[in-house]
Amino acid sequence: MGKPIVLHIGESIKYNHDFYNKDFLSRFDVVRSEEPDRESFIQALKSKKYGDFSAIFRPHFQTGGEMGQWDDELISLLPPSVRIFASAGAGYNWADVDALGQRKIWYANGAGASDEAVSDTGLYMVLSVFRNFTRAQLAARTADVDEFEKTHKLIATISSNPRDHILGIVGLGNISKKLAYKARTALGMDIHYFDVVRASQEEERALGATYHSTLDSLLEVADCISLHCPLNKHTQDLISTPQLSMMKAGSRIINTARGQVLNEDALVAALERGHISAAGLDVHYHEPQVSKKLSEMPQVTLTTHIAGGALNTRINFELGALKNILRVLSDDGGFTGEDPLTPVNSKAFKSA
């Protein structure tokens, strides 16, 4: 009997070569998907081209998506031998993780690997929306003396220090806990949060965080909202016109989560009428297309979904996917009995 088969989708290993060669290949036979599109991938699954593989391995979240959405059509074609889908990246809106769980297939993401980088980006966004750094940078890059002088005089009249302002966090996970700590200790901000699951009293005390039982309650008091929730059917357009209208006049909003959590048309309207004074977006509703209206607004800080874009993140994404498979998959292709290190669909898996 041979070693369990792992189906590798996307680009080759880039960083953790020693671990891959010594710890991973000694346990598993790895086969690479060769399919350029969804239709050919479906045919490959139907014909059992890759055999009875026990795991799906996607070490780089920017590749390996040729087959499109992992929905019932694809998931129903997986061999019953599959135990885990281990992917790099923190997001998982491209896969129906509950459907996988109902088939007793773990889905594990790269949670934790990008915490430091994304929370640093969040901190940058906080500084930028309070101090209007993007407006100043745009003016400086004109190399125009008059524009420099005009902006130099303007900025001090429209900017504030973050200290003693309320940072309202929507979704208190690992990334936003780090942001809360950094914003409180470095910038002197007051931390408030809303989440469907309340943190422990110990965590709240450690972060100096005030809990809100409703999103509306948080929106009404925050001077700056930072979004940190996954994208799903419950969170798409979570923040739209009604929610933005609840926020204080002149408040700010930041999104380093997923673009479609924040309705950009509603945001543009709120910015145009001045109700929202500034925004910072690393993610975009129609990504990779950036809103042309938002791109023309100097009070809006825009980046290209690079919040987690540090080399350390990529190394640990890849390593985490390897370790999740090693933890779950036994030498005979069955379950070890251990949960993945970073499971996403525990509830669906354990109720199946």
Side-chain angles (χ1 to χ4, degrees):
M1 185 175 177
K3 293 182 286 187
I5 298 170
V6 172
L7 177 63
H8 179 144
I9 59 177
E11 290 182 356
S12 302
I13 288 289
K14 295 182 179 180
Y15 309 112
N16 299 278
H17 294 287
D18 286 346
F19 187 89
Y20 179 69
N21 291 325
K22 294 176 183 177
D23 296 80
F24 201 75
L25 292 184
S26 64
R27 293 269 310 277
F28 309 120
D29 286 329
V30 177
V31 296
R32 295 286 298 277
S33 171
E34 303 169 339
E35 315 314 321
D37 53 40
R38 183 178 181 88
E39 187 55 40
S40 58
F41 189 73
I42 287 173
Q43 292 306 314
L45 291 177
K46 286 181 175 179
S47 67
K48 292 190 174 290
K49 178 178 178 178
Y50 301 111
D52 290 323
F53 52 92
S54 300
I56 303 167
F57 174 50
R58 188 188 188 192
H60 308 293
F61 69 93
Q62 291 176 320
T63 70
E66 301 83 14
M67 68 295 297
Q69 194 75 17
W70 281 80
D71 51 17
D72 285 334
E73 182 181 28
L74 285 188
I75 294 169
S76 66
L77 297 174
L78 293 175
S81 52
V82 177
R83 307 288 182 239
I84 182 171
F85 192 140
S87 179
Y92 48 87
N93 50 289
W94 57 283
D96 188 337
V97 297
D98 288 338
L100 288 165
Q102 289 158 11
R103 288 275 305 271
K104 288 306 253 186
I105 299 171
W106 284 110
Y107 185 94
N109 69 348
S114 63
D115 292 358
E116 206 68 59
V118 178
S119 60
D120 284 348
T121 303
L123 194 67
Y124 162 76
M125 291 286 190
V126 169
L127 280 166
S128 187
V129 298
F130 273 91
R131 295 289 308 280
N132 284 280
F133 286 155
T134 292
R135 186 187 293 267
Q137 289 171 353
L138 291 170
R141 287 183 180 277
T142 66
D144 181 274
V145 172
D146 291 338
E147 189 67 26
F148 185 102
E149 292 287 358
K150 182 179 73 173
T151 307
H152 173 73
K153 293 175 182 177
L154 172 66
I155 290 293
T157 68
I158 62 173
S159 299
S160 300
N161 292 327
R163 182 171 295 276
D164 297 327
H165 285 83
I166 294 174
L167 177 63
I169 290 174
V170 180
L172 192 68
N174 292 332
I175 290 170
S176 51
K177 286 174 186 174
K178 283 185 175 288
L179 173 61
Y181 172 79
K182 292 172 183 179
R184 181 167 178 259
T185 55
L187 303 181
M189 300 189 77
D190 295 328
I191 307 302
H192 290 229
Y193 80 98
F194 163 74
D195 200 310
V196 291
V197 178
R198 185 172 182 173
S200 67
Q201 291 184 350
E202 292 76 17
E203 285 180 309
E204 289 183 355
R205 281 196 295 268
L207 294 172
T210 300
Y211 174 67
H212 290 256
S213 59
T214 67
L215 176 60
D216 292 359
S217 171
L218 178 67
L219 295 174
E220 289 168 356
V221 303
D223 298 296
C224 180
I225 287 291
S226 187
L227 301 174
H228 298 274
C229 42
L231 176 63
N232 55 44
K233 63 184 179 181
H234 304 294
T235 61
Q236 183 161 349
D237 295 314
L238 179 71
I239 306 296
S240 192
T241 299
Q243 292 75 31
L244 292 169
S245 298
M246 290 178 193
M247 295 172 65
K248 294 178 181 178
S251 56
R252 307 145 186 93
I253 190 163
I254 291 164
N255 189 8
T256 57
R258 284 294 181 266
Q260 293 183 7
V261 173
L262 172 59
N263 186 293
E264 287 182 356
D265 291 336
L267 176 61
V268 167
L271 287 162
E272 286 178 337
R273 69 176 188 270
H275 184 71
I276 300 298
S277 66
L281 307 180
D282 180 56
V283 290
H284 307 274
Y285 203 94
H286 298 291
E287 194 171 308
Q289 179 63 59
V290 174
S291 163
K292 288 183 167 50
K293 289 185 178 179
L294 289 172
S295 73
E296 294 168 354
M297 293 181 170
Q299 72 271 44
V300 178
T301 296
L302 300 171
T303 49
T304 56
H305 200 153
I306 47 77
L311 181 58
N312 318 67
T313 300
R314 299 306 172 92
I315 292 169
N316 289 321
F317 272 158
E318 184 183 89
L319 183 61
L322 291 165
K323 287 184 174 180
N324 273 315
I325 294 174
L326 282 164
R327 185 174 173 88
V328 166
L329 207 57
S330 66
D331 289 339
D332 64 0
F335 287 115
T336 61
E338 299 283 350
D339 291 1
L341 297 168
T342 53
V344 166
N345 59 349
S346 295
K347 184 177 179 181
F349 180 93
K350 292 182 178 181
S351 64

